[in-house]
Amino acid sequence: MELRRPSFYSTIDLVPQLEHYVSTLPRQQARSRPSLEALRRAFEEVEAGVDSTNPTSDSGVSNSENEESPDPPGKGPVRFGWVTGVMVRCMLNIWGVILFLRLSWITSQAGILLTWVIILMSVTVTSVTALSVSAIATNGRVISGGAYFMISRSLGPEIGGPIGVVFSFANALACALNTVGFEFGVIMVDSINDVRIVGVITVTVLLLISLAGMEWESKVIIIVSFSNYLVGTFLPPTPEKKAQGIFGYRSEIFLANLKPDWRGAESNFFQMFAIFFPSAIGILSGANISGDLKDPASAIPKGTLTAIFCTAVSYLVISATVASCVVRDASGNISDVLTGNSTDGCVGLACNLGWNFTECIQSQSCGYGLANNLKVLGQVSGFYYLITAGVFAASLSSALGFLVSAPKVFQCLCRDKIYPYIGFFAKGYGKNDEPLRAYLLCYIIAVAFILIAELNTIAALISNFFLCSYSLINFSCFHASITNSPGWRPSFHYYSKWTALFGAVISVVLMFLFTWWAALTTFCIIFFLFGYVNYNKPKVNWGSSVQAGTYNMALSYSVSLSGVEDHVKNFRPQCLVLTGPPNQRPALVDFVGSFTKHISLMICGDIITVSHSVYNFLYIISSSYLWLMINSLFFYLSSFFKASGLGKLKPNTLVLGFKFCYITDGVSDKGDNDQINTVFQNDQGKKTIDVYWIADDGGLTLLVPYLLTRRKRWHSCKVRVFIVGDEQNMEEGRDDLSRFVDSVAPFRLYDEQQEGVSVQGVRQSAPWKISDKEFEAFKLKSERKVRLNEIIRRNSQHTALVLVSLPVPHSDCPSALYMAWLDALTCGLHCPAVLIRGNQQNVLTFYCQ
């Protein structure tokens, strides 16, 4: 179907093209539009009678032959819908080993009421997170990488990179968690080593399944297992089942199991919560394979929320029904049945049901019941081995889901090149771009934690990693919402920024309530990885909400500063630097940057007098910006000479160069554009900064050298202040003025030496020249400038920097004479010199008010 149709206005001006708006995706180039210049030229060509109807000319529109052709039928990657790709995948991952092997035990400890609270709190966290995921997923196209992709593109690489590492690791641990859940009932070595052996064998088989691309169909088995369990709760219990504590639905059992019965020194509500929570972590299984979905924006919200609802109902039903049918303690001995109606000395709820489990209760040796038997669901069910099959199916499906998710997330992280030495795992294979190398890495991590062989220990570790991920996902949604960025426009509207904030906060709180040391470890890892990315500053720009937030903060602070009255203690030299193109005067830029970087404002000004097209003008601006960024200077580039900034962020100090463009140490050979290394980029060592404070100008002459000493390159320098104010000393040792007279000779009128010539006529022909009368009137001042130069040369010949008070020109002083004074002040120095003058208003004080 032809979509690249010309618009109503022009044959090369196309109608809106969808592919032009996906150019922010990595490794995907959008077809180019014709530029404004091309459209203008095309119109001129039409006016001139030249054919410009071919959109494949140099108008900027690509030829159809160069367009990427779609994959041929049958050759494209496999894509999933919202049911099989998200809902079923999430449900299978949520229905893991916790459901069959720990839910009944948690219910015995916490009771039905608190177990429901645990389930509903978990569902609350996952539901809020799912809403945030849905909002982020529908705000734009989500490719492979799932949670990492969404967080990194929302909060930037500084937050996305660490969470990508942690989330990938958490998925690998979840794979280990579900494979540890296998129990065959046959002792090979011992209970611990049996778990290790079976777990390693299982994860190896799952790895082979993943590499071969086979599908593990377990949803039918799990559904049949549920049905088998529910049917079993209604079947009349046999004496064997009663001996195991199973009596069918009884109100007294239900009431007794409503309340908690904590057993063990570490048994409490949050410990049970930490053990149960990993059973809810499968909500991102669909989002993690977003690159394999037909329509991620639609599939992720529908599939994830539906899966959470269905699994939450199943957990609530199973916890309530099993606690209504099974007592907490039973011996399993069929001979413990009560004979007669006497219950004297009998302990426990079973006494009222005709059974006496007193002996095992008192000796704490009961092997059956909710509190003691992890296989109680199978014993309650109609056919025991169907529940065993359900355990296998749930564990395999969950482990396989996490084994697939972790490599795909890690592959996306590796391709973003945020961290070094992991690019090896970015390579994909086959039509589905399978990360085979990342599969092997995930397998190694899973095996390492399988060797722990402790389900509860692994579950507590996983809870912290996933809660950290959920917290950042919710914060991503919240932050994107409050920045009011035009780029935040999700089509999923059933979310709130405040619920997202609640999800972020409650996730962090739960981390510390579950296992405080694991929470601290998780945050230390996050901060370390964050610090690394923040220090290296990867060259990526994903249009994150952090950038939008920075703009909002800058705008808000600028407006708020406008209403604040200036105070001398807060004065900062905000410089308008007349550099021309900044790369033409690097020494001037480097010097000003030395005392304004991260402190105040520097605006580089250039006056462009030659007529340029708007495109050449923008190129000049871009080139200057690039040069400044390479030299790492904090600045605001302005294309106008009289740039006024914004609010209080406006120049209060004018800086311009005098005579020389460079003070340089050489030219580097890095890059296409030679970068000049100026003396202001070098370490100044233990030299001195000499300040000749001639006039009381308000303190700017002292403030600038102080700001310089706060820099690493200048902090070892000592500031010396010379106050030369005695006029008599200025007169002593006056040197011959011949050098000075010779320097101004080309700029003098010599009007008194010319006979018969009108002074006014000569003045009109050269108004900037110095008359003999003016030269004599300012002769004493000229001598003082020469004398001051002698003092400076004698005391400051080899200092790091000299700052001299700038003389204020008199209204009747010729401009040529004034410039000669400036030349005389700095003549013969072998170090950089700065002529500086405040505006007679204080810019520093030693009082506290």
Side-chain angles (χ1 to χ4, degrees):
M1 181 174 63
E2 178 62 39
L3 295 177
R4 298 177 62 78
R5 301 191 305 271
S7 71
F8 182 79
Y9 296 123
S10 170
T11 55
I12 67 170
D13 196 5
L14 301 177
V15 297
Q17 302 293 305
L18 178 63
E19 63 268 22
H20 288 163
Y21 298 91
V22 296
S23 59
T24 57
L25 296 180
R27 300 176 302 281
Q28 183 171 349
Q29 292 290 335
R31 300 169 183 172
S32 60
R33 298 185 182 94
S35 64
L36 292 176
E37 184 69 14
L39 293 174
R40 184 182 62 81
R41 288 202 314 267
F43 178 77
E44 293 175 352
E45 290 172 357
V46 170
E47 292 293 319
V50 180
D51 184 15
S52 63
T53 60
N54 183 11
T56 63
S57 62
D58 61 350
S59 61
V61 181
S62 59
N63 194 315
S64 60
E65 295 178 358
N66 297 326
E67 296 175 5
E68 183 178 345
S69 60
D71 295 327
K75 299 294 184 179
V78 178
R79 302 297 185 192
F80 302 101
W82 74 272
V83 176
T84 58
V86 181
M87 186 190 76
V88 173
R89 188 178 295 271
C90 288
M91 291 174 68
L92 293 178
N93 280 20
I94 294 173
W95 282 332
V97 68
I98 299 293
L99 171 65
F100 291 99
L101 298 183
R102 288 294 184 271
L103 182 58
S104 59
W105 176 75
I106 292 173
T107 306
S108 73
Q109 295 274 330
I112 297 175
L113 292 179
L114 289 183
T115 299
W116 275 37
V117 171
I118 289 174
I119 295 171
L120 293 177
M121 287 180 65
S122 300
V123 170
T124 299
V125 174
T126 56
S127 297
V128 170
T129 305
L131 294 176
S132 299
V133 168
S134 301
I136 297 174
T138 58
N139 186 55
R141 185 173 298 178
V142 179
I143 63 171
S144 62
Y148 159 71
F149 183 86
M150 289 184 280
I151 294 175
S152 62
R153 270 53 178 181
S154 179
L155 293 180
E158 293 84 1
I159 298 297
I163 206 60
V165 175
V166 171
F167 191 69
S168 301
F169 188 68
N171 275 273
L173 290 188
C175 177
L177 169 71
N178 285 278
T179 53
V180 168
F182 281 105
E183 297 181 21
F184 288 92
V186 178
I187 300 298
M188 293 181 290
V189 180
D190 55 58
S191 60
I192 298 297
N193 286 311
D194 285 355
V195 172
R196 292 169 177 163
I197 294 171
V198 174
V200 171
I201 294 174
T202 303
V203 76
T204 303
V205 173
L206 293 177
L207 175 66
L208 296 176
I209 292 175
S210 301
L211 297 179
M214 297 169 57
E215 294 184 0
W216 180 261
E217 295 294 341
S218 56
K219 52 184 177 288
V220 176
I221 301 176
I222 296 178
I223 293 174
V224 170
S225 299
F226 284 163
S227 303
N228 172 57
Y229 162 76
L230 292 175
V231 170
T233 60
F234 290 97
L235 296 178
T238 63
E240 289 78 9
K241 286 191 174 183
K242 289 183 178 180
Q244 297 171 352
I246 303 170
F247 295 94
Y249 289 105
R250 297 292 186 100
S251 59
E252 55 266 43
I253 297 178
F254 175 77
L255 294 175
N257 287 333
L258 279 176
K259 298 179 181 179
D261 181 17
W262 308 116
R263 300 187 181 186
E266 297 183 356
S267 293
N268 55 63
F269 176 81
F270 290 106
Q271 181 67 19
M272 295 301 108
F273 199 167
I275 294 173
F276 173 81
F277 189 78
S279 64
I281 60 179
I283 64 168
L284 297 179
S285 299
N288 288 340
I289 62 161
S290 52
D292 297 330
L293 300 175
K294 294 178 181 177
D295 184 8
S298 173
I300 291 175
K302 291 192 295 185
T304 304
L305 293 173
T306 304
I308 291 175
F309 175 78
C310 294
T311 54
V313 171
S314 67
Y315 281 129
L316 293 173
V317 170
I318 290 176
S319 61
T321 54
V322 73
S324 300
C325 300
V326 186
V327 296
R328 283 189 168 98
D329 297 296
S331 65
N333 190 350
I334 198 172
S335 63
D336 286 340
V337 63
L338 282 175
T339 56
N341 295 325
S342 175
T343 58
D344 294 340
C346 185
V347 177
L349 179 62
C351 298
N352 299 328
L353 303 175
W355 290 80
N356 185 2
F357 302 134
T358 303
E359 182 179 352
C360 75
I361 291 175
Q362 291 179 343
S363 63
Q364 297 182 356
S365 60
C366 295
Y368 293 88
L370 280 180
N372 307 293
N373 188 4
L374 299 179
K375 302 177 182 178
V376 69
L377 290 185
Q379 295 167 348
V380 173
S381 64
F383 186 66
Y384 177 84
Y385 292 103
L386 277 179
I387 294 296
T388 303
V391 173
F392 276 72
S395 299
L396 280 174
S397 62
S398 296
L400 183 60
F402 289 118
L403 184 62
V404 171
S405 298
K408 289 185 177 293
V409 174
F410 193 64
Q411 181 189 40
C412 185
L413 172 65
C414 294
R415 285 178 171 173
D416 286 337
K417 300 179 180 179
I418 296 177
Y419 295 105
Y421 312 121
I422 60 175
F424 174 81
F425 300 101
K427 184 175 177 57
Y429 298 86
K431 62 181 180 181
N432 277 6
D433 196 28
E434 294 293 340
L436 302 186
R437 297 174 180 177
Y439 276 131
L440 294 175
L441 178 63
C442 179
Y443 167 77
I444 294 173
I445 295 174
V447 168
F449 279 86
I450 284 172
L451 297 179
I452 297 177
E454 287 291 337
L455 188 63
N456 292 354
T457 304
I458 299 176
L461 292 173
I462 294 174
S463 296
N464 271 277
F465 288 129
F466 275 95
L467 279 169
C468 183
S469 302
Y470 294 167
S471 176
L472 287 175
I473 289 174
N474 284 297
F475 183 75
S476 300
C477 181
F478 167 76
H479 195 267
S481 300
I482 64 171
T483 55
N484 297 320
S485 172
W488 175 251
R489 46 182 185 274
S491 58
F492 182 84
H493 300 292
Y494 303 101
Y495 78 97
S496 168
K497 59 184 177 183
W498 303 117
T499 57
L501 179 61
F502 168 77
V505 173
I506 197 64
S507 297
V508 174
V509 172
L510 290 177
M511 287 178 66
F512 284 94
L513 291 177
F514 285 174
T515 317
W516 65 268
W517 60 266
L520 288 178
T521 302
T522 302
F523 278 106
C524 287
I525 295 173
I526 292 291
F527 288 142
F528 173 77
L529 296 173
F530 168 82
Y532 178 85
V533 178
N534 192 53
Y535 177 79
N536 284 275
K537 300 188 183 303
K539 296 179 181 179
V540 295
N541 185 2
W542 294 326
S544 66
S545 61
V546 173
Q547 296 172 340
T550 302
Y551 174 83
N552 283 352
M553 292 173 60
L555 186 62
S556 175
Y557 290 156
S558 298
V559 173
S560 63
L561 276 175
S562 300
V564 178
E565 186 177 352
D566 292 333
H567 194 280
V568 62
K569 291 194 299 183
N570 294 326
F571 176 84
R572 298 166 184 252
Q574 300 182 149
C575 302
L576 172 59
V577 190
L578 303 186
T579 60
N583 53 342
Q584 298 295 319
R585 302 184 71 94
L588 190 60
V589 176
D590 286 342
F591 167 69
V592 178
S594 297
F595 63 86
T596 60
K597 184 178 181 181
H598 302 313
I599 295 177
S600 58
L601 178 70
M602 177 175 72
I603 297 177
C604 296
D606 182 18
I607 301 177
I608 301 176
T609 57
V610 180
S611 176
H612 289 283
S613 69
V614 66
Y615 310 104
N616 291 334
F617 176 76
L618 292 177
Y619 173 77
I620 293 172
I621 296 300
S622 300
S623 300
S624 302
Y625 182 85
L626 177 62
W627 187 90
L628 283 167
M629 290 302 293
I630 293 175
N631 285 268
S632 302
L633 293 176
F634 175 78
F635 76 104
Y636 288 84
L637 182 63
S638 174
S639 61
F640 302 101
F641 173 71
K642 296 182 179 180
S644 58
L646 175 65
K648 293 289 184 179
L649 298 178
K650 57 185 179 182
N652 56 25
T653 306
L654 179 65
V655 183
L656 62 157
F658 180 65
K659 298 182 65 174
F660 299 106
C661 289
Y662 304 112
I663 305 173
T664 65
D665 277 359
V667 179
S668 69
D669 55 359
K670 296 180 179 179
D672 296 331
N673 296 326
D674 291 336
Q675 299 302 316
I676 298 176
N677 183 26
T678 70
V679 295
F680 300 108
Q681 297 176 3
N682 300 333
D683 191 302
Q684 303 300 320
K686 295 185 178 181
K687 297 180 181 179
T688 62
I689 301 176
D690 289 354
V691 181
Y692 289 86
W693 198 7
I694 308 302
D696 186 2
D697 61 350
L700 182 64
T701 307
L702 284 184
L703 180 62
V704 170
Y706 164 71
L707 295 177
L708 284 174
T709 58
R710 295 174 60 177
R711 297 299 182 188
K712 182 178 180 181
R713 294 169 179 166
W714 297 82
H715 78 281
S716 297
C717 294
K718 181 186 295 185
V719 178
R720 300 191 302 176
V721 180
F722 297 84
I723 300 179
V724 187
D726 189 351
E727 185 173 331
Q728 185 176 3
N729 290 337
M730 294 293 293
E731 299 292 336
E732 292 179 0
R734 184 185 307 168
D735 291 340
D736 188 12
L737 293 179
S738 60
R739 181 185 58 80
F740 178 79
V741 173
D742 292 341
S743 67
V744 299
F747 308 100
R748 294 182 60 182
L749 285 173
Y750 295 106
D751 50 299
E752 294 183 358
Q753 302 177 15
Q754 301 181 33
E755 296 181 359
V757 179
S758 172
V759 176
Q760 294 299 328
V762 176
R763 171 69 71 182
Q764 290 179 359
S765 62
W768 44 270
K769 285 192 174 185
I770 310 168
S771 67
D772 292 345
K773 184 178 180 180
E774 291 170 335
F775 184 78
E776 289 298 325
F778 290 101
K779 185 176 182 180
L780 180 59
K781 292 185 180 294
S782 300
E783 292 176 354
R784 290 177 179 175
K785 306 303 185 293
V786 174
R787 171 59 180 153
L788 180 57
N789 174 254
E790 294 175 358
I791 297 174
I792 296 173
R793 283 188 294 169
R794 183 172 64 245
N795 295 285
S796 308
Q797 188 67 285
H798 300 289
T799 61
L801 182 68
V802 171
L803 295 97
V804 186
S805 294
L806 181 73
V808 176
H810 291 254
S811 58
D812 55 347
C813 178
S815 59
L817 181 59
Y818 181 76
M819 296 301 294
W821 288 351
L822 301 186
D823 186 40
L825 284 173
T826 58
C827 180
L829 297 180
H830 296 161
C831 62
V834 178
L835 299 174
I836 185 170
R837 183 79 189 205
N839 66 347
Q840 306 302 107
Q841 295 183 4
N842 283 359
V843 298
L844 53 82
T845 179
F846 51 83
Y847 286 109
C848 296
Q849 75 272 19

